[in-house]
Amino acid sequence: MTNQQDTLFAEPGEHQGNFQFDSRVAGVFGDMIRRSVPGYTQIINTIGEIADRCVTPGSNVYDLGCSLGAATLAIRRKIEGRNAHIFAIDNSEPMLVRAEENLSAYVSDTKVHFKLADIREQTFENASLVVLNFTLQFLPPNDRDTLLARIYKGLNPGGMLVLSEKLKFEGSDIQVLLDSLHLDFKRANGYSELEISQKRSAIENVLIPDTLDQHKNRLTQAGFTQADLWFQCFNFASMVAIK
Ligand SMILES: Nc1ncnc2c1ncn2[C@@H]1O[C@H](C[S@+](CC[C@H]([NH3+])C(=O)[O-])CC(=O)[O-])[C@@H](O)[C@H]1O
Ligand SMILES: O=C(O)C(=O)Cc1ccccc1
């Protein structure tokens, strides 16, 4: 997997303006997300385990905002021989090109369809699993409800949605505490104060987190009657919803 070290925010004034999933980010993304998101590797592995439990023969799987294809790869490893189709979708061309390369490094009998597209335009049908692994937080807040409702409609009974997100908290003391624990995680992974603060400004208007209650309400609104957290570390969480 493409895994250059992330030094994008290391120099003063670097990468000013809004964070974008361009070729510079795509080239270091594997390193960036592992050093920035606590639990990322465990979440990817568990998405594979969840796929093993819910992907039915001949069904469709959607990996929305697939980036380098890490979740698609973990899923594909667990569902060989089921004649399932995986749709790996991202609107960043440099990400999708690398995802395709990463997946082609291994043989598989599962068909993966790579789509350079906006996930808001996607139609969902015969779905046993939909993955939104740290992607919903980048959509304009007003577009989030509609996407979840469309996903719910396209899922088969027993089908699952995995929704991983950076969370925001109502209690400001909790927000400060979990933020500071996250910052220490980044420092421990070798990011400098400058890298941390420049990245923070770059994602400020781009990654807009919701509270856990907002997510739960949105899932209920979309039609899900069963949804819960299965992972949380500091301000990062992953939920699963079952139709
Ligand atoms: N409207 C959109 N349509 C399509 N793609 C989008 C859109 N908005 C953002 N993206 C894409 O969503 C991805 C978000 S990263 C997901 C990690 C991955 N899931 C992983 O499991 O490694 C998370 C992060 O960077 O924190 C990027 O590749 C964007 O191009
Ligand atoms: O780096 C951070 O502070 C984050 O919140 C996570 C992240 C990871 C990768 C791209 C954008 C945000």
Side-chain angles (χ1 to χ4, degrees):
M1 193 161 277
T2 323
N3 212 6
Q4 299 286 304
Q5 200 193 334
D6 168 25
T7 55
L8 292 187
F9 296 94
E11 298 300 326
E14 257 193 308
H15 220 94
Q16 277 179 346
N18 281 346
F19 186 87
Q20 286 180 11
F21 293 100
D22 56 18
S23 62
R24 294 181 72 206
V25 167
V28 301
F29 188 73
D31 180 63
M32 174 186 279
I33 196 152
R34 278 174 190 77
R35 288 165 65 208
S36 305
V37 176
Y40 176 77
T41 302
Q42 194 195 336
I43 293 170
I44 290 292
N45 290 335
T46 304
I47 289 172
E49 296 299 335
I50 290 172
D52 190 22
R53 287 158 174 78
C54 69
V55 176
T56 50
S59 64
N60 294 329
V61 174
Y62 298 87
D63 180 6
L64 305 178
C66 64
S67 297
L68 302 181
T72 289
L73 189 56
I75 293 164
R76 195 180 65 171
R77 286 198 173 117
K78 291 288 181 174
I79 62 166
E80 292 297 335
R82 298 188 201 183
N83 188 32
H85 287 241
I86 307 178
F87 294 85
I89 305 163
D90 206 293
N91 64 356
S92 159
E93 188 166 19
M95 287 288 197
L96 202 71
V97 166
R98 285 171 174 80
E100 207 160 351
E101 273 169 25
N102 292 334
L103 271 286
S104 67
Y106 307 89
V107 282
S108 167
D109 67 12
T110 302
K111 181 81 192 138
V112 181
H113 308 267
F114 295 93
K115 279 184 73 177
L116 180 65
D118 191 312
I119 57 173
R120 289 169 292 182
E121 317 263 283
Q122 184 62 37
T123 55
F124 303 95
E125 55 180 15
N126 186 27
S128 56
L129 174 63
V130 178
V131 174
L132 275 166
N133 200 38
F134 301 108
T135 301
L136 194 69
Q137 59 195 14
F138 292 104
L139 290 193
N142 286 338
D143 294 345
R144 297 177 186 181
D145 291 4
T146 315
L147 176 66
L148 286 209
R150 291 172 73 165
I151 291 171
Y152 181 81
K153 272 186 76 183
L155 276 169
N156 294 334
M160 300 193 195
L161 165 67
V162 175
L163 174 61
S164 312
E165 291 272 293
K166 187 175 193 175
L167 295 180
K168 174 176 100 179
F169 299 85
E170 303 278 15
S172 69
D173 291 346
I174 299 286
Q175 180 74 60
V176 168
L177 173 68
L178 298 185
D179 247 348
S180 80
L181 291 169
H182 175 228
L183 292 190
D184 278 349
F185 171 87
K186 293 182 81 161
R187 291 182 187 110
N189 285 325
Y191 283 121
S192 67
E193 300 308 314
L194 181 67
E195 285 177 292
I196 290 171
S197 79
Q198 295 197 132
K199 167 98 178 277
R200 179 176 271 229
S201 334
I203 62 176
E204 203 167 27
N205 302 315
V206 177
L207 190 174
I208 301 160
D210 290 323
T211 63
L212 184 58
D213 277 352
Q214 284 175 307
H215 284 296
K216 286 194 164 168
N217 291 339
R218 185 180 291 120
L219 288 164
T220 305
Q221 195 73 39
F224 290 101
T225 52
Q226 301 191 70
D228 231 313
L229 265 189
W230 68 267
F231 176 93
Q232 185 175 346
C233 183
F234 313 143
N235 44 350
F236 291 83
S238 187
M239 286 152 267
V240 65
I242 309 181
K243 184 161 175 179

